Each structure stands twice: as C-alpha cells, then as structure tokens.
Amino acid sequence: MTVSSPDRPAAPLLTGPVDPAHLLRALRAERSRVTHWRRLVRARMDLAVAALVLPEALGPDADVPDLLALVDAVSAGGPQGELDRLESLRDLDARLARHAQGVDQAIEAARGGMGQTVPRT
C-alpha cells in the first residue's frame, strides 16, 4: 500500500505481505501525525495573522508585562517576516492536506479490503 500526492511520488508505508489490520493501524497512526502537524501549522498561521496588527499596550499595573516584552514574545521578525511566513505556512498546510487526503483514501481502501469488520474512527 502506498500513499502519494501530486507533488510527491508514492512511497510504500509497509513492505512485504501485510496484515490488513496492521496496515489500517499504520494508516491511522499516519493520519494522526498529519492531523497534529496541520494543527501546529494552523496555530502558527493564526499567530502570524494576529501579529500583523498588534494591540496597544495594557494599562498601568505592577503585574502587567510591558509592551516590549509582549511584542518580543509573539513576534517573529516584523510584519514582512510574518507575511512571508504566512505564505510558507499556507503552502505547508496545503501539502499536508493533500497528504491527509491520500492517507484517508488508503484507509478507505484498507477498510474495503477488510469488509465491514473494522469500525470507523
């Protein structure tokens, strides 16, 4: 069984004779990893967009961080750097989405090869 995307040739997930249940577990694990990476990329995209227009400083209070500390904590190189990063992150997310689609198709194919005995998760 292989998983491929338009920009990457198919790569075997497992070699040799494969137990269908083992294949399905491997595909589900891959799907979980892709989902995690997409969550991380999307969170970074949200931060890049939010960092383009930062809020004003907080009110005076002894326990409130100053504006510079807050900006330093959330910025990654200024507005142009965030715009550049956003384009790169969108590309990564699109590539991950294509891979996820291939994994989903492989999971459906594996389920079909096992009949109705495998529950959907």
Side-chain angles (χ1 to χ4, degrees):
M1 178 65 60
T2 61
V3 177
S4 64
S5 65
D7 59 333
R8 186 171 155 181
L13 291 175
L14 303 168
T15 58
V18 178
D19 171 36
H22 180 71
L23 173 61
L24 195 53
R25 280 191 300 277
L27 288 167
R28 286 180 176 158
E30 179 70 2
R31 183 63 165 113
S32 178
R33 287 187 295 271
V34 171
T35 299
H36 192 157
W37 276 111
R38 286 195 78 195
R39 194 174 311 126
L40 289 170
V41 167
R42 287 178 177 176
R44 188 58 189 92
M45 286 170 51
D46 288 345
L47 184 56
V49 168
L52 289 173
V53 180
L54 295 171
E56 294 179 17
L58 298 171
D61 187 335
D63 197 33
V64 174
D66 68 17
L67 182 61
L68 252 105
L70 292 169
V71 170
D72 185 53
V74 300
S75 294
Q80 188 57 48
E82 293 298 338
L83 284 173
D84 293 343
R85 181 181 302 251
L86 192 55
E87 289 178 28
S88 173
L89 289 166
R90 284 184 178 145
D91 178 62
L92 279 173
D93 188 51
R95 291 172 57 198
L96 287 168
R98 287 191 299 272
H99 180 63
Q101 185 177 26
V103 173
D104 288 343
Q105 290 169 350
I107 287 172
E108 286 302 314
R111 280 192 188 125
M114 294 182 70
Q116 298 296 326
T117 60
V118 180
R120 293 175 183 258
T121 57

